[in-house]
Amino acid sequence: MPKRSPRNTTESLLHAAGGAPEDVGRLIDELSLEKVAPAVLDELLARVAPPAEVTVDLLLELHRAGESVAHTLSFTGGRLSARPGREGEPGARIRYEAADLVTALYGPAARRGGITRQVESLLRLPGRGAREDTYELFLAQRAYAEAIHSVIAAVSATPPDLSELSVRFGSDKWGFLHWFTEHYAAHFRHLVDEPIRLLEIGIGGYDDPEAGGGSLRVWQRYFRRGLVVGLDLYEKTVRGPRIQTVRGDQGDRAVLADLAERVGPFDVVIDDGSHVNSHVLTSFEALFPHVRDGGLYVIEDFHTTYWPGFGGAVPGPDAAGTVMGRLKELLDGLHHPEFEDPATYRPSSTDLAISAIHFYRNLVFIEKGLNTEGAPPSWMPREPV
């Protein structure tokens, strides 16, 4: 499958940060620091977890080749906002060379970044005396240290905890309804530092355009170099760096084909959509061919495979057209070389393209990969001995 060309500043920065170190600086010079700075700032704002009890202002400066762009970061009781330039009385300054910060944010974890970071106190002494001033600064420094740490931690390549992210962004993938995050962490570990493209079907919030999007924000934060696409039946206003939303019906093959052509191929597809059996099956058949080798197709909440109201059925003859019925077919196909007479069986495309299937309660991971292991040798007995 062909590589996708960068479509905007953020994708251009992602692409450059994965190449030679000098590529980043060259790109910033081409685009200008003034144009790059907002994209970098958006990325930081999306990653920072503001301390809940802190209300302070910091000054963030990016510089390159004699130019400088500054923003005032305002932490207010668990919220974070930014304003251009220096406003008010920020108590500390964090300064980065622009190319170095871009490398730290978007480059591979093995590529060191952040080495030009400088942190400077801007606190003014009240002037009431050395002892009083020292004590006031001692009391003030903790709040600033927490805010500074949250910014520095956001730049770190260490992957955050998926359960914590789910709680932070309001995703239902962990807590009360589901306990999926430990399984996601196990299966996504090899992709966490890759420039992946992830599609999630189902943004959440039903027909409320401003509701939902928690899981998209989780994936945007977890995959620090990834692009995240959300598909939903309703128009959504979810915004964020490296997040794109598309309106469409997951049960419409034409919509899915157009989506795959425009924004695929994908490294990960997650179906957390309608959970209607026919929709889940249509989405799988339409999108699995557009998953890259080594990628994953994930289906959540397939308990509806047993619910007639969602097109499901209890185990038995009527379950053939359900999600579980199809998954059982995929399991058989995974083992097609072991069929009694494999010479008379013509493998399907999924038989040859699925390398593993992992089941958990209401969650399944389907691995895309060549299934080319040969059949057992002909001398092995096909009858009990």
Side-chain angles (χ1 to χ4, degrees):
M1 294 181 178
K3 292 183 177 180
R4 308 295 300 199
S5 299
R7 295 175 297 179
N8 52 43
T9 299
T10 297
E11 289 193 33
S12 297
L13 293 172
L14 272 167
H15 181 77
E22 59 270 18
D23 292 344
V24 177
R26 188 180 301 114
L27 177 64
I28 294 174
D29 293 338
E30 290 176 2
L31 296 176
S32 81
L33 180 60
E34 187 177 357
K35 184 173 182 179
V36 168
V40 172
L41 181 67
D42 285 347
E43 183 69 38
L44 270 177
L45 293 178
R47 292 193 191 190
V48 173
E53 305 297 327
V54 168
T55 299
V56 300
D57 286 349
L58 303 178
L59 188 66
L60 176 69
E61 287 186 354
L62 299 183
H63 67 92
R64 178 166 177 79
E67 294 185 74
S68 180
V69 174
H71 285 82
T72 301
L73 306 183
S74 294
F75 293 78
T76 310
R79 295 181 179 274
L80 175 60
S81 60
R83 304 183 303 279
R86 177 171 178 166
E87 291 192 9
E89 295 291 338
R93 177 186 3 242
I94 305 175
R95 196 165 188 261
Y96 284 94
E97 199 282 325
D100 186 50
L101 180 57
V102 168
T103 299
L105 288 171
Y106 298 120
R111 182 167 298 164
R112 191 177 178 194
I115 55 177
T116 64
R117 185 191 70 226
Q118 296 174 311
V119 179
E120 173 189 0
S121 174
L122 301 177
L123 292 173
R124 294 184 177 182
L125 297 176
R128 291 184 301 217
R131 182 169 182 172
E132 290 82 2
D133 288 350
T134 300
Y135 185 62
E136 285 213 16
L137 290 178
F138 173 76
L139 293 178
Q141 65 85 31
R142 179 172 179 177
Y144 285 100
E146 289 187 51
I148 292 167
H149 177 266
S150 69
V151 175
I152 294 174
V155 180
S156 170
T158 303
D161 182 82
L162 269 177
S163 299
E164 291 181 7
L165 290 180
S166 292
V167 173
R168 173 181 164 190
F169 292 116
S171 169
D172 68 354
K173 295 191 188 317
W174 186 89
F176 186 62
L177 286 178
H178 305 303
W179 309 99
F180 292 161
T181 52
E182 62 180 304
H183 306 308
Y184 273 115
H187 290 282
F188 285 174
R189 189 171 292 120
H190 71 294
L191 296 172
V192 71
D193 191 44
E194 299 297 322
I196 72 161
R197 187 160 297 196
L198 179 148
L199 167 66
E200 180 153 22
I201 302 170
I203 295 175
Y206 298 98
D207 58 350
D208 184 346
E210 298 183 1
S215 294
L216 300 185
R217 295 187 177 96
V218 167
W219 303 130
Q220 182 270 335
R221 180 64 184 92
Y222 186 71
F223 293 107
R224 51 187 286 275
R225 306 181 64 214
L227 301 173
V228 179
V229 181
L231 174 69
D232 201 274
L233 185 62
Y234 301 102
E235 191 73 38
K236 292 292 177 178
T237 59
V238 182
R239 297 292 181 267
R242 300 181 286 113
I243 291 177
Q244 176 186 357
T245 60
V246 178
R247 183 178 183 181
D249 184 350
Q250 75 167 117
D252 188 326
R253 285 181 175 272
V255 167
L256 298 176
D258 178 67
L259 174 68
E261 176 64 27
R262 288 190 294 111
V263 299
F266 307 104
D267 300 277
V268 176
V269 174
I270 301 171
D271 187 345
D272 187 19
S274 71
H275 310 311
V276 173
N277 279 248
S278 61
H279 295 171
V280 176
L281 296 175
T282 296
S283 297
F284 175 77
E285 302 302 335
L287 293 173
F288 188 72
H290 299 279
V291 175
R292 294 182 186 273
D293 287 342
L296 292 159
Y297 195 101
V298 187
I299 302 174
E300 292 189 10
D301 299 330
F302 57 86
H303 51 271
T304 57
T305 191
Y306 305 113
W307 295 358
F310 283 77
V314 297
D318 295 333
T322 66
V323 172
M324 184 57 76
R326 180 64 174 127
L327 290 172
K328 289 178 179 178
E329 290 176 359
L330 297 180
L331 277 173
D332 285 335
L334 178 65
H335 298 91
H336 73 269
E338 278 69 59
F339 291 177
E340 184 174 5
D341 188 5
T344 63
Y345 178 76
R346 179 174 296 178
S348 68
S349 59
T350 50
D351 292 345
L352 299 173
I354 292 177
S355 56
I357 304 175
H358 307 266
F359 280 91
Y360 303 92
R361 179 76 177 271
N362 296 325
L363 182 68
V364 62
F365 293 80
I366 303 169
E367 292 187 19
K368 181 79 171 282
L370 293 177
N371 181 17
T372 56
E373 288 188 21
S378 58
W379 49 262
M380 291 189 68
R382 265 55 177 177
E383 301 291 339
V385 294

